[in-house]
C-alpha cells in the first residue's frame, strides 16, 4: 500500500517514493511515520495532523543536528583549553569613580606669572596675551607695578591679566 507524501521542504505533493522528486529531500522517516499513522487511524483528518507532526518532528531533528554539529564544532576547543570546563566568569563592570573627581578644577587659584631673566612688562604681556598686547594690561592686573613699570625683578610673581580688557 503506497502512501502519498507531501514534501516538508518544498511542499511537493503526491510523492510516492522515499525522496522528493522536486528537491531530493529524504522522506524515509516521513514515509515510516505515515505508514504508522495509517495503521493506527484511517481518518483523513488524523493523517493530516500526523503529517503536521511529522513536519515538526523533522524540523526538530534539523535543529538537533544543528545543535549537535555546533556542539561538536565547539567541543574540541574546550578540550584543548582545559579538561575541567570552568564556570563562565561573568564580568560585572564596576562603577568607576566619576571622571569629574579625577579632573582638577581649573581657575581655583588665579594664574600667575613668575618674571624671568630678560623680561619686561611688554614681553610678559605679549607672552601671556599675544603679540601686540599692551603692557598696561599687566599694570591693571597688578596695581603694585604703578610707578615702577620698568623695574620688575626676576622671580617676582604677577597676576596674569585679563587679556580681553581694554589697554
Ligand atoms: Zn521537496
Amino acid at each position: 500500500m503506497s502512501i502519498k507524501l507531501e514534501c516538508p521542504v518544498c511542499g511537493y505533493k503526491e510523492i510516492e517514493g522515499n525522496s522528493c522528486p522536486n528537491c531530493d529531500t529524504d522522506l524515509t522517516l516521513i514515509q515510516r511515520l505515515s505508514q504508522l499513522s495509517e495503521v493506527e487511524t484511517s481518518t483523513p483528518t488524523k493523517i493530516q495532523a500526523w503529517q503536521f507532526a511529522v513536519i515538526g518532528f523533522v524540523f526538530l531533528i534539523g535543529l538537533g543536528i544543528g545543535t549537535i554539529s555546533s556542539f561538536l564544532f565547539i567541543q574540541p576547543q574546550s578540550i584543548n583549553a582545559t579538561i575541567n570546563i570552568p564556570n563562565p566568569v561573568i564580568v560585572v563592570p564596576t562603577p568607576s569613580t566619576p571622571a569629574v573627581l579625577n579632573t582638577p578644577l581649573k581657575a581655583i587659584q588665579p594664574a600667575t606669572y613668575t618674571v624671568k631673566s630678560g623680561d619686561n612688562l611688554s614681553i610678559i604681556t605679549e607672552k601671556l596675551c599675544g603679540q601686540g598686547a599692551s603692557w598696561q594690561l599687566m599694570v591693571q592686573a597688578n596695581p603694585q607695578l604703578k610707578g615702577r613699570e620698568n623695574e620688575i625683578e626676576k622671580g617676582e610673581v604677577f597676576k596674569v591679566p585679563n587679556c580681553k580688557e581694554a589697554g
Side-chain angles (χ1 to χ4, degrees), residues 56-77:
F57 187 59
V58 169
F59 179 70
L60 285 177
I61 289 174
L63 276 182
I65 290 172
T67 306
I68 290 169
S69 58
S70 64
F71 176 77
L72 290 174
F73 179 74
I74 292 169
Q75 188 69 5
Q77 295 176 342

Side-chain angles (χ1 to χ4, degrees), residues 6-12 15 19-25 27:
E6 178 175 343
C7 175
V9 176
C10 69
Y12 193 92
I15 301 168
S19 65
C20 174
N22 189 43
C23 66
D24 283 338
T25 299
L27 302 176

